[in-house]
Amino acid sequence: MVIGAATALGSASAASPASAVTTGVNPSVTGEAAHVVSLRKALDDAAAGIVGPHGVDSKGRIIVKAWYEGVPTYTLLNTLVIGGNTILDATGARFVAKFPTTSRVYTLDQTNPHSPTPAYETNTQGQFTAPAVSGAKAATMLINHVPSSATTGYSAPGNIAVKGGEWDPVSAWFWQDSGDVRARADKAPPMNVLTFTHTQDVEVEGVTVWNVKW
């Protein structure tokens, strides 16, 4: 299940593999703000079954709250990971992606109406170069934890919920741009927002997704 999906245009080359060192279920990311690091730690604790200050909800999910008075925007430099039996209550919070990028060759999809407008200039093979996520866990803002033993079927830890929050995967790249460059979000990579794989019992409520490229 994907919420806030970047439509695949096809590619001629793959993005670089993830290189972040992991601590718990979340990557340890150099340069992220203290409140983002704290959120990752709270999600790691919940994934390990450690109940935090907000307790447990009626479905047995450990509550992790992302918003508190005075907290600024959560600028994510890598994918946020949520474990099983966890509810991320992001009501009132704003999340912005600013993942590392690399150049990638794409093939323009000319058969479907979702192709970018204004159109990209392509070569004779219908290809163009644009950014792609590089060095991150995945090209998504949030994903569920999937142990190496649970990569088939629906065996990854479930009973997960995400509640509220504004999730914006591209705006960090285009505020200083104008015209066609801004309209296409040329400097932003295509990304998903919330991705859930190999799991079950997932609830998403009151989430606002902004500006998904393609």
Side-chain angles (χ1 to χ4, degrees), residues 1 18 64 76 80 83 86 95 123 137 141 168 172 202:
M1 178 171 70
V64 175
L76 304 177
L80 199 63
T86 302
F95 294 84
N123 62 19
K137 182 175 179 64
M141 295 180 73
D168 190 334
V202 175

PDB file of all heavy atoms in Angstrom, residues 1 18 64 76 80 83 86 95 123 137 141 168 172 202:
ATOM      1  N   MET A   1       0.845  -1.183   0.000  1.00  0.00           N
ATOM      2  CA  MET A   1       0.000   0.000   0.000  1.00  0.00           C
ATOM      3  C   MET A   1       0.881   1.235   0.000  1.00  0.00           C
ATOM      4  O   MET A   1       1.820   1.336   0.788  1.00  0.00           O
ATOM      5  CB  MET A   1      -0.892   0.017   1.243  1.00  0.00           C
ATOM      6  CG  MET A   1      -1.783   1.249   1.347  1.00  0.00           C
ATOM      7  SD  MET A   1      -3.001   1.116   2.682  1.00  0.00           S
ATOM      8  CE  MET A   1      -1.967   1.227   4.117  1.00  0.00           C
ATOM      9  N   ALA A  18      21.456   2.043  -0.622  1.00  0.00           N
ATOM     10  CA  ALA A  18      21.464   2.723   0.663  1.00  0.00           C
ATOM     11  C   ALA A  18      22.802   2.510   1.356  1.00  0.00           C
ATOM     12  O   ALA A  18      23.418   1.459   1.263  1.00  0.00           O
ATOM     13  CB  ALA A  18      20.326   2.195   1.539  1.00  0.00           C
ATOM     14  N   VAL A  64       3.416   7.114  19.633  1.00  0.00           N
ATOM     15  CA  VAL A  64       4.554   8.018  19.441  1.00  0.00           C
ATOM     16  C   VAL A  64       3.999   9.315  18.882  1.00  0.00           C
ATOM     17  O   VAL A  64       3.364   9.313  17.818  1.00  0.00           O
ATOM     18  CB  VAL A  64       5.596   7.428  18.473  1.00  0.00           C
ATOM     19  CG1 VAL A  64       6.703   8.437  18.190  1.00  0.00           C
ATOM     20  CG2 VAL A  64       6.175   6.137  19.036  1.00  0.00           C
ATOM     21  N   LEU A  76      13.288  15.654   6.963  1.00  0.00           N
ATOM     22  CA  LEU A  76      13.837  14.306   6.920  1.00  0.00           C
ATOM     23  C   LEU A  76      14.929  14.221   5.866  1.00  0.00           C
ATOM     24  O   LEU A  76      14.715  14.591   4.707  1.00  0.00           O
ATOM     25  CB  LEU A  76      12.739  13.292   6.589  1.00  0.00           C
ATOM     26  CG  LEU A  76      11.511  13.258   7.505  1.00  0.00           C
ATOM     27  CD1 LEU A  76      10.497  12.246   6.977  1.00  0.00           C
ATOM     28  CD2 LEU A  76      11.898  12.948   8.942  1.00  0.00           C
ATOM     29  N   LEU A  80      11.911   7.671   7.264  1.00  0.00           N
ATOM     30  CA  LEU A  80      11.475   7.421   8.635  1.00  0.00           C
ATOM     31  C   LEU A  80      10.855   6.017   8.663  1.00  0.00           C
ATOM     32  O   LEU A  80      10.076   5.670   7.778  1.00  0.00           O
ATOM     33  CB  LEU A  80      10.433   8.466   9.024  1.00  0.00           C
ATOM     34  CG  LEU A  80      10.137   8.724  10.505  1.00  0.00           C
ATOM     35  CD1 LEU A  80      11.370   9.262  11.218  1.00  0.00           C
ATOM     36  CD2 LEU A  80       8.972   9.690  10.634  1.00  0.00           C
ATOM     37  N   GLY A  83       7.776   0.722  13.232  1.00  0.00           N
ATOM     38  CA  GLY A  83       7.685  -0.707  13.492  1.00  0.00           C
ATOM     39  C   GLY A  83       6.259  -1.152  13.746  1.00  0.00           C
ATOM     40  O   GLY A  83       5.308  -0.368  13.674  1.00  0.00           O
ATOM     41  N   THR A  86       2.597   0.058  16.565  1.00  0.00           N
ATOM     42  CA  THR A  86       2.943   1.461  16.796  1.00  0.00           C
ATOM     43  C   THR A  86       1.941   2.360  16.111  1.00  0.00           C
ATOM     44  O   THR A  86       1.515   2.086  14.985  1.00  0.00           O
ATOM     45  CB  THR A  86       4.359   1.772  16.249  1.00  0.00           C
ATOM     46  OG1 THR A  86       5.312   0.910  16.868  1.00  0.00           O
ATOM     47  CG2 THR A  86       4.737   3.225  16.497  1.00  0.00           C
ATOM     48  N   PHE A  95       6.065  17.514   7.861  1.00  0.00           N
ATOM     49  CA  PHE A  95       7.249  16.767   7.455  1.00  0.00           C
ATOM     50  C   PHE A  95       7.641  17.179   6.039  1.00  0.00           C
ATOM     51  O   PHE A  95       6.795  17.228   5.139  1.00  0.00           O
ATOM     52  CB  PHE A  95       6.972  15.263   7.477  1.00  0.00           C
ATOM     53  CG  PHE A  95       6.707  14.716   8.848  1.00  0.00           C
ATOM     54  CD1 PHE A  95       5.443  14.791   9.405  1.00  0.00           C
ATOM     55  CD2 PHE A  95       7.725  14.123   9.577  1.00  0.00           C
ATOM     56  CE1 PHE A  95       5.188  14.291  10.669  1.00  0.00           C
ATOM     57  CE2 PHE A  95       7.479  13.617  10.845  1.00  0.00           C
ATOM     58  CZ  PHE A  95       6.221  13.700  11.401  1.00  0.00           C
ATOM     59  N   ASN A 123      15.670  13.132 -25.546  1.00  0.00           N
ATOM     60  CA  ASN A 123      16.494  12.797 -26.707  1.00  0.00           C
ATOM     61  C   ASN A 123      15.671  11.975 -27.687  1.00  0.00           C
ATOM     62  O   ASN A 123      14.466  11.782 -27.494  1.00  0.00           O
ATOM     63  CB  ASN A 123      17.772  12.069 -26.269  1.00  0.00           C
ATOM     64  CG  ASN A 123      17.494  10.745 -25.564  1.00  0.00           C
ATOM     65  OD1 ASN A 123      16.402  10.170 -25.686  1.00  0.00           O
ATOM     66  ND2 ASN A 123      18.477  10.253 -24.825  1.00  0.00           N
ATOM     67  N   LYS A 137      17.366   5.089   2.686  1.00  0.00           N
ATOM     68  CA  LYS A 137      16.824   3.744   2.847  1.00  0.00           C
ATOM     69  C   LYS A 137      15.876   3.394   1.709  1.00  0.00           C
ATOM     70  O   LYS A 137      15.887   2.281   1.199  1.00  0.00           O
ATOM     71  CB  LYS A 137      16.100   3.633   4.193  1.00  0.00           C
ATOM     72  CG  LYS A 137      15.540   2.248   4.475  1.00  0.00           C
ATOM     73  CD  LYS A 137      14.944   2.166   5.850  1.00  0.00           C
ATOM     74  CE  LYS A 137      14.366   0.788   6.121  1.00  0.00           C
ATOM     75  NZ  LYS A 137      15.414  -0.261   6.116  1.00  0.00           N
ATOM     76  N   MET A 141       8.998   8.830   2.271  1.00  0.00           N
ATOM     77  CA  MET A 141       9.214   9.563   3.509  1.00  0.00           C
ATOM     78  C   MET A 141       9.083   8.666   4.731  1.00  0.00           C
ATOM     79  O   MET A 141       9.798   8.834   5.712  1.00  0.00           O
ATOM     80  CB  MET A 141       8.247  10.742   3.598  1.00  0.00           C
ATOM     81  CG  MET A 141       8.484  11.789   2.519  1.00  0.00           C
ATOM     82  SD  MET A 141       7.345  13.198   2.629  1.00  0.00           S
ATOM     83  CE  MET A 141       7.989  14.052   4.079  1.00  0.00           C
ATOM     84  N   ASP A 168       5.251  16.514   2.878  1.00  0.00           N
ATOM     85  CA  ASP A 168       5.602  17.207   1.636  1.00  0.00           C
ATOM     86  C   ASP A 168       6.942  16.682   1.121  1.00  0.00           C
ATOM     87  O   ASP A 168       7.992  17.000   1.674  1.00  0.00           O
ATOM     88  CB  ASP A 168       5.683  18.713   1.891  1.00  0.00           C
ATOM     89  CG  ASP A 168       5.794  19.518   0.614  1.00  0.00           C
ATOM     90  OD1 ASP A 168       6.296  18.976  -0.385  1.00  0.00           O
ATOM     91  OD2 ASP A 168       5.390  20.692   0.625  1.00  0.00           O
ATOM     92  N   ALA A 172      10.969  21.323  -0.678  1.00  0.00           N
ATOM     93  CA  ALA A 172      12.267  21.822  -0.216  1.00  0.00           C
ATOM     94  C   ALA A 172      13.193  22.171  -1.378  1.00  0.00           C
ATOM     95  O   ALA A 172      14.130  22.955  -1.210  1.00  0.00           O
ATOM     96  CB  ALA A 172      12.938  20.767   0.671  1.00  0.00           C
ATOM     97  N   VAL A 202      -3.132  -1.998   8.880  1.00  0.00           N
ATOM     98  CA  VAL A 202      -2.579  -0.646   8.780  1.00  0.00           C
ATOM     99  C   VAL A 202      -3.726   0.352   8.692  1.00  0.00           C
ATOM    100  O   VAL A 202      -4.653   0.167   7.903  1.00  0.00           O
ATOM    101  CB  VAL A 202      -1.669  -0.505   7.545  1.00  0.00           C
ATOM    102  CG1 VAL A 202      -1.200   0.933   7.383  1.00  0.00           C
ATOM    103  CG2 VAL A 202      -0.482  -1.454   7.640  1.00  0.00           C
TER     104      VAL A 202
END
